[in-house]
Amino acid sequence: MSLKIPALDPMTLEPRTGSGYPEPYRSRCLPREKRQLGTALGLTKIGINQTILPPGKESSMRHWHTHEEEFIYVLSGEVVLVTDAGEQLLKAGTCAGFPLGTQDGHQLVNRSSQPAVYLEISNRDPKDRAYYSDVDMVFHGVSANPMFTRRDGTGF
Amino acid sequence: MSLKIPALDPMTLEPRTGSGYPEPYRSRCLPREKRQLGTALGLTKIGINQTILPPGKESSMRHWHTHEEEFIYVLSGEVVLVTDAGEQLLKAGTCAGFPLGTQDGHQLVNRSSQPAVYLEISNRDPKDRAYYSDVDMVFHGVSANPMFTRRDGTGF
C-alpha cells in the first residue's frame, strides 16, 4: 500500500537531475539523481536528499560550508570520501559529518561499478557560502544570482 | 580498516541505553540503543541518532515538538508509525517527517519479531518543548530540571 504524509517512500518522488555548476564541473557530477525528502515532508529547518551517484561520478567538487553542517549516510553501494586527510572507503551503513566553518573540503567519488545511494543532510541557513578546495569557484547561496562565481567574483 | 573522523562506522560507538522518561513509559521503550552520530562527528546544529528498537518496544510516547522538526529513515527491519491519521507500516528504505508545531503526535512501534534500525534526525533548538498526545506528560528541554513533568507542572 502506498504511504501517505507524514510517511513517504522516497522512490515515489521525481528526482532532481540538474546541477547549478558550470562546466566542466557539471559533467563530473551528472547524471545524478537527488530526491528531496525533507521538502516533500514539509520540513524547513533541515534539508534531506536521497542521492543516487552512478559509477565514475562525483557528488560535488571538494568544498566546505560557512554556515551549514553536513551529514552523509551510505545506504547502498560504496563511495570514496576525499578530504585533506586523504581517501576513505565508505561502505553501506557508514557515515561522515562536516562541521560548518572547518576549512577542509570534502567530496564523494563513486569508483565502483555499481550506483551508490546515500542520504545527505544539512541545516538550512540563507547566509551560507561554500568554498571549493581544488577549483576556482565560490557558492553564494541558493537564492543568489549568479549562484556560482569565480573567487574574484566574476561569473562563468 | 577502521574509519577516522570525518568518517564514522556507527557501530563503533557506545550506545546510549537510558531514557529520561518516568515509569511506566520508560519500560515501554527500553531496552533501546541510540548511537549519537551527529555528536560523535562534531555537529551542533543537527541531532542524528541511529536507533535499534527491539520487538515489542516503542520509540517514544506519541508526541509533537514546538521548535524541532523530526525526520526518521528506516534502515532495516520495520516499524509501525502511529499518528492521528492511523497506522502505517514503514519498511526499510522508507521515511517520515514531522514539521515543528504540527499538533499531531507520532511514535514508532516495533510489532515485528526482529529489531528495527532507523535514523532519527532533528534540528536543535533550546526553546523546544514536546507535548504528549496520549499521556499526561510534557518535555521541557534537555537542560531543564525536571526534564519531564505532568501537564499541570508537577513532577513525577
Side-chain angles (χ1 to χ4, degrees):
Chain A
M1 202 182 75
S2 63
L3 295 175
K4 295 176 184 169
I5 298 291
L8 176 70
D9 177 349
M11 296 312 290
T12 62
L13 296 179
E14 280 299 309
R16 175 172 170 259
T17 57
S19 165
Y21 277 3
E23 291 292 4
Y25 314 124
R26 182 190 297 143
S27 295
R28 288 167 59 177
C29 300
L30 302 187
R32 178 192 61 186
E33 294 188 352
K34 287 180 186 270
R35 289 176 167 80
Q36 299 176 291
L37 312 189
T39 300
L41 290 165
L43 306 186
T44 60
K45 303 289 187 185
I46 304 174
I48 303 164
N49 291 332
Q50 180 167 314
T51 301
I52 303 178
L53 190 68
K57 295 299 175 179
E58 300 168 71
S59 62
S60 64
M61 301 300 100
R62 277 189 66 198
H63 70 284
W64 60 273
H65 289 272
T66 60
H67 289 77
E68 293 183 356
E69 59 189 20
E70 278 190 87
F71 173 80
I72 67 103
Y73 191 101
V74 182
L75 297 170
S76 65
E78 60 183 47
V79 290
V80 175
L81 168 66
V82 185
T83 65
D84 283 347
E87 300 190 347
Q88 297 189 77
L89 183 63
L90 302 187
K91 298 188 175 186
T94 68
C95 62
F98 313 102
L100 60 87
T102 300
Q103 298 183 28
D104 179 1
H106 67 271
Q107 69 169 170
L108 307 175
V109 185
N110 184 350
R111 298 217 183 104
S112 79
S113 59
Q114 302 295 327
V117 185
Y118 55 87
L119 295 175
E120 51 188 14
I121 293 165
S122 69
N123 60 305
R124 288 177 163 174
D125 191 320
K127 296 185 295 298
D128 188 52
R129 282 191 172 206
Y131 292 91
Y132 292 81
S133 308
D134 306 323
V135 302
D136 180 10
M137 187 164 70
V138 178
F139 168 75
H140 297 271
V142 291
S143 60
N145 185 15
M147 195 181 291
F148 293 93
T149 67
R150 298 181 197 275
R151 289 180 188 137
D152 67 5
T154 59
F156 285 93
Chain B
M1 202 183 75
S2 64
L3 296 175
K4 295 176 185 169
I5 297 292
L8 177 69
D9 177 348
M11 296 313 288
T12 62
L13 296 179
E14 281 297 310
R16 176 172 169 257
T17 56
S19 166
Y21 278 3
E23 292 291 3
Y25 314 124
R26 182 189 297 144
S27 295
R28 287 167 59 177
C29 301
L30 301 187
R32 179 191 61 185
E33 294 188 354
K34 288 180 185 269
R35 287 176 169 81
Q36 299 176 292
L37 313 189
T39 299
L41 291 164
L43 306 184
T44 60
K45 304 288 186 185
I46 304 174
I48 303 164
N49 291 331
Q50 180 166 315
T51 300
I52 303 177
L53 191 67
K57 295 299 174 177
E58 300 167 71
S59 62
S60 64
M61 301 298 102
R62 276 189 67 198
H63 70 284
W64 60 273
H65 289 273
T66 60
H67 289 77
E68 293 183 357
E69 59 189 21
E70 276 190 89
F71 173 80
I72 67 102
Y73 190 101
V74 181
L75 297 170
S76 65
E78 60 183 47
V79 290
V80 174
L81 168 66
V82 185
T83 64
D84 284 348
E87 299 190 349
Q88 298 189 78
L89 183 63
L90 302 187
K91 299 188 175 186
T94 67
C95 61
F98 312 102
L100 60 87
T102 300
Q103 298 183 28
D104 179 1
H106 66 272
Q107 69 170 167
L108 308 175
V109 185
N110 185 350
R111 297 218 183 103
S112 79
S113 59
Q114 302 295 327
V117 185
Y118 55 86
L119 295 175
E120 52 187 13
I121 293 166
S122 69
N123 61 304
R124 288 177 163 174
D125 192 320
K127 296 184 295 298
D128 188 54
R129 281 190 174 208
Y131 292 91
Y132 292 80
S133 308
D134 307 323
V135 302
D136 181 10
M137 186 165 69
V138 178
F139 168 75
H140 296 271
V142 290
S143 60
N145 185 13
M147 194 182 291
F148 294 92
T149 67
R150 298 180 195 277
R151 290 180 187 137
D152 67 6
T154 59
F156 284 94

